[in-house]
Amino acid sequence: MEHRFDDHYTEAASLQNLMVAIAQGGQEGEADYVRLRQALIGDPTIEPLLPIFVKTCRTKLQFWGYIQPISKTYKGRREHIYGAFQRLLDFLERDGRAPADKNVTGVLEKFDAEHVHAAWAKALERRTADPEGAITSARTLLESVCKHILDEEEVAYDDKDDLPKLYRKTAEKLNIAPSQHTEDVFKMILGGCTAVVEGLGTLRNRLSDAHGKGKVAARPQPRHAELAVNLSGALTQFVLSTWEARNER
């Protein structure tokens, strides 16, 4: 069952309040701390937004050891905790993802490559705050999926192959290359997918943080990042769904 983002908001707010209580000397239960922490860490989409102390403090005692030296006052500890949770709560309050994001995440949940989950999570997280990073992650996502499928299918490729070349090899293996179809409508749609892949590579090369910039350089805006992430997510979903259907035959 899909874990709704309003559930995560409640869990994050509850964990924040629990940690504030612990930081002020409260005797809140260990079981609640562990349960709430695990519920949040278990979702790769929000894991990058978690405060570092949530990731590293597995028990209430460990968190107490972390928070004590942060400030001698309860106020200082509260402010530290509230500040660390702000990005996560803001993200969840907006429901975190558009419907398309959830569809892609649903497909990726069946996919056990951790680096693919990480690329998608970073792309989602960075769309507004770090458009350059989001564009880089969008391309990394598609590259990682193509390489994983090629590895599984024992198709050779060079580590220096760029995204368009990796996608062409993957598409040919999955029978979704335009040249493998005769009907005009399929050739047009699949040709559009190839054009999107080439466009993602060009957009990333021109706008992302993968290359150095001169004094006068175009800076990507959130709308550019939104476009890149949505295109990459849609293609990733299509490629993985096609591969899954092929393996079920």
Side-chain angles (χ1 to χ4, degrees), residues 139-155:
R139 174 164 170 169
T140 299
L141 171 68
L142 200 49
E143 285 177 340
S144 298
V145 167
C146 288
K147 287 181 177 180
H148 186 90
I149 291 174
L150 293 174
D151 287 340
E152 290 292 316
E153 297 294 330
E154 299 183 346
V155 176

Side-chain angles (χ1 to χ4, degrees), residues 53 65-73 76-77 80-81:
F53 52 78
Y66 165 86
I67 197 64
Q68 263 192 310
I70 292 295
S71 176
K72 294 181 179 179
T73 69
R77 295 174 188 175
H80 179 77
I81 295 168

Side-chain angles (χ1 to χ4, degrees), residues 19-242:
M19 287 180 148
V20 167
I22 294 170
Q24 296 178 147
Q27 300 300 314
E28 277 61 26
E30 179 76 18
D32 286 338
Y33 180 93
V34 172
R35 175 181 60 81
L36 292 168
R37 178 180 175 274
Q38 285 297 328
L40 297 171
I41 285 181
D43 189 332
T45 303
I46 64 171
E47 191 272 339
L49 293 170
L50 291 174
I52 186 64
F53 52 78
V54 173
K55 299 179 185 180
T56 58
C57 299
R58 302 180 66 187
T59 67
K60 190 176 74 169
L61 182 61
Q62 288 175 346
F63 174 65
W64 176 245
Y66 165 86
I67 197 64
Q68 263 192 310
I70 292 295
S71 176
K72 294 181 179 179
T73 69
Y74 289 164
K75 179 182 178 183
R77 295 174 188 175
R78 286 196 304 270
E79 289 176 348
H80 179 77
I81 295 168
Y82 290 146
F85 270 92
Q86 184 172 346
R87 277 202 316 156
L88 173 62
L89 291 173
D90 287 347
F91 178 77
L92 294 172
E93 198 167 43
R94 296 192 303 269
D95 194 28
R97 299 174 288 190
D101 300 342
K102 297 177 182 179
N103 291 338
V104 176
T105 300
V107 171
L108 289 178
E109 284 176 352
K110 305 175 186 178
F111 200 58
D112 61 2
E114 189 61 35
H115 57 289
V116 173
H117 289 278
W120 179 236
K122 288 179 181 178
L124 292 178
E125 175 199 349
R126 295 175 174 180
R127 282 181 295 190
T128 300
D130 180 15
E132 295 181 6
I135 291 169
T136 298
S137 295
R139 174 164 170 169
T140 299
L141 171 68
L142 200 49
E143 285 177 340
S144 298
V145 167
C146 288
K147 287 181 177 180
H148 186 90
I149 291 174
L150 293 174
D151 287 340
E152 290 292 316
E153 297 294 330
E154 299 183 346
V155 176
Y157 62 88
D158 193 296
D159 286 338
K160 296 181 181 179
D161 285 349
D162 59 11
L163 176 58
K165 185 173 289 187
L166 290 168
Y167 179 78
R168 281 196 297 273
K169 290 184 177 181
T170 304
E172 288 172 1
K173 185 63 182 179
L174 299 181
N175 196 36
I176 54 175
S179 61
Q180 294 171 309
H181 295 264
T182 56
E183 293 189 32
D184 288 342
V185 64
F186 289 118
K187 289 175 71 72
M188 181 171 61
I189 292 172
L190 296 174
C193 291
T194 301
V196 165
V197 170
E198 292 173 352
L200 279 172
T202 301
L203 181 64
R204 189 236 192 179
N205 290 338
R206 289 183 177 274
L207 297 178
S208 80
D209 60 3
H211 298 274
K213 298 180 175 66
K215 290 184 178 179
V216 180
R219 294 189 62 84
Q221 300 300 311
R223 66 181 183 276
H224 300 133
E226 188 82 24
L227 175 63
V229 172
N230 288 346
L231 290 172
S232 179
L235 274 171
T236 294
Q237 182 180 4
F238 173 59
V239 169
L240 286 177
S241 296
T242 302

